[in-house]
Amino acid sequence: MVVRIRLARFGCRNRPFYRVTAADSRSPRDGKHLEVLGYYNPLPGKDGGKRMGLKFDRVKYWLSVGAQPSDPVQRILFRAGVLPPPPLLAMGRKGGPRDRNPIHPMTGRPLDLEGVTVVDDPNAAEGDAEEPSFEA
């Protein structure tokens, strides 16, 4: 039996609310689960209510015994600081080659590294500090 940590949808139409559950991978999305591990609200109220709540000790337990988080849960656990960032690569276009630009883990947008300059690079040798000359 493969255990997945995944989201179960509750709430009404256009107002989703999710519970983070540990469930058998063969059971339906909103079906039988082993344990409720927390909640996630993608639409918080105007008062700025909580967006997510997790039982960290139980999540760590299920991960330690081999439970696999789904992709949305993996992003939620990364935001909560339980897991390292998931590997992300930007898609050039559907079915096309993947872009090798790094992705910002919180927003999912590609990082623009053109204007970034590295100051005090510890890996650079002191003799290599020559400016490259560009000739037309």
Side-chain angles (χ1 to χ4, degrees):
M1 171 172 92
V2 178
V3 176
R4 300 277 300 187
I5 300 175
R6 63 183 179 198
L7 298 175
R9 185 183 163 125
F10 289 88
C12 57
R13 185 174 46 157
N14 296 329
R15 303 287 298 170
F17 181 83
Y18 298 97
R19 285 187 186 160
V20 180
T21 61
D24 183 8
S25 64
R26 296 171 292 184
S27 65
R29 178 190 72 183
D30 299 334
K32 185 177 175 183
H33 59 270
L34 301 171
E35 185 177 359
V36 176
L37 304 174
Y39 67 89
Y40 171 65
N41 186 4
L43 304 172
K46 293 181 181 178
D47 60 347
K50 285 188 173 182
R51 292 193 63 151
M52 73 174 105
L54 293 171
K55 300 175 186 174
F56 291 108
D57 56 337
R58 296 305 297 168
V59 169
K60 289 179 182 178
Y61 165 76
W62 281 108
L63 291 172
S64 69
V65 295
Q68 297 294 317
S70 64
D71 291 337
V73 172
Q74 192 173 11
R75 287 191 298 270
I76 290 171
L77 294 178
F78 163 65
R79 289 184 192 145
V82 177
L83 290 179
L88 297 173
L89 292 175
M91 287 288 285
R93 61 180 181 274
K94 187 173 180 180
R98 291 189 180 270
D99 190 9
R100 297 295 178 198
N101 292 334
I103 302 294
H104 189 273
M106 295 300 261
T107 61
R109 295 188 176 130
L111 292 175
D112 182 26
L113 298 178
E114 288 181 15
V116 176
T117 58
V118 178
V119 181
D120 296 331
D121 187 8
N123 297 329
E126 293 190 24
D128 297 336
E130 298 176 9
E131 296 270 339
S133 61
F134 298 103
E135 298 179 19

